[in-house]
Amino acid sequence: MSEAYSTLHEISRRFDREDFELLAKHPDFHFTINTYELFTQHIFTRVKRQNPDMFVTQEASCIVIQSEACSEALHLYPNWKRIEERADFEACDEINRAIALLESKACKHIYLLFPRSANFRKHVPIRSPKLDALGLEYTLKLVPYVIY
């Protein structure tokens, strides 16, 4: 469990809403919440719970799902970036990093996870002419993830 998640969990056990409102009004009190880490921890916990028969591990920047039956793992890359209009344009940097990983043959299946928004509600499969020219078999998708 990440340090930020355990700290936030402990704070939520000890303080209620009124305590937070009082502290938030104090001029010397400042706090930040690492939304990326909380989003990643939420996804990891949920994926682990939904796939009890799989090996789910959390690495530095991704979540890896692997089964005993299949040697190929699925790599989930959470990202806290909000997609408002077109997913393929707004996630261009993330897609390019994923293509570089696929090209290096570090993995074969990558899902880039973003928070779901009004205009980003469905999986968006991405095809790369560069990877297709190399004849690589791969999966690259942009996935909206529900937070609740």
Side-chain angles (χ1 to χ4, degrees), residues 83-135:
I83 304 292
E84 298 300 331
E85 295 297 322
R86 290 206 41 199
D88 53 344
F89 289 135
E90 293 181 40
C92 189
D93 294 336
E94 291 81 6
I95 292 170
N96 289 334
R97 281 194 291 273
I99 289 173
L101 281 171
L102 292 167
E103 187 178 15
S104 70
K105 299 181 182 175
C107 53
K108 287 178 79 172
H109 309 287
I110 295 179
Y111 285 4
L112 302 174
L113 306 173
F114 296 90
R116 187 165 85 173
S117 64
N119 293 327
F120 183 52
R121 298 181 137 314
K122 295 182 181 180
H123 290 217
V124 178
I126 304 293
R127 299 303 302 172
S128 167
K130 184 178 183 181
L131 295 175
D132 291 338
L134 293 172

Side-chain angles (χ1 to χ4, degrees), residues 1-146:
M1 186 178 303
S2 72
E3 186 178 319
Y5 178 78
S6 60
T7 303
L8 188 63
H9 179 71
E10 184 64 26
I11 289 171
S12 67
R13 281 185 348 105
R14 294 183 181 200
F15 296 101
D16 60 7
R17 191 173 120 210
E18 289 80 23
D19 293 332
F20 284 124
E21 288 174 357
L22 179 65
L23 288 173
K25 292 176 184 174
H26 194 280
D28 296 330
F29 183 73
H30 301 282
F31 66 94
T32 59
I33 296 175
N34 187 339
T35 53
Y36 165 75
E37 189 160 333
L38 289 175
F39 183 58
T40 303
Q41 186 63 40
H42 169 71
I43 291 170
F44 176 74
T45 305
R46 195 161 166 208
V47 167
K48 194 163 180 78
R49 185 178 61 239
Q50 290 175 344
N51 300 290
D53 56 334
M54 305 268 193
F55 296 111
V56 181
T57 57
Q58 186 170 1
E59 295 178 0
S61 62
C62 73
I63 299 167
V64 180
I65 304 171
Q66 193 164 14
S67 70
E68 290 181 14
C70 182
S71 63
E72 297 175 357
L74 173 63
H75 292 76
L76 307 176
Y77 285 88
N79 195 314
W80 185 246
K81 185 177 187 179
R82 300 287 295 175
I83 304 292
E84 298 300 331
E85 295 297 322
R86 290 206 41 199
D88 53 344
F89 289 135
E90 293 181 40
C92 189
D93 294 336
E94 291 81 6
I95 292 170
N96 289 334
R97 281 194 291 273
I99 289 173
L101 281 171
L102 292 167
E103 187 178 15
S104 70
K105 299 181 182 175
C107 53
K108 287 178 79 172
H109 309 287
I110 295 179
Y111 285 4
L112 302 174
L113 306 173
F114 296 90
R116 187 165 85 173
S117 64
N119 293 327
F120 183 52
R121 298 181 137 314
K122 295 182 181 180
H123 290 217
V124 178
I126 304 293
R127 299 303 302 172
S128 167
K130 184 178 183 181
L131 295 175
D132 291 338
L134 293 172
L136 295 177
E137 182 180 323
Y138 68 95
T139 306
L140 178 57
K141 286 186 180 181
L142 302 179
V143 178
Y145 207 84
V146 179

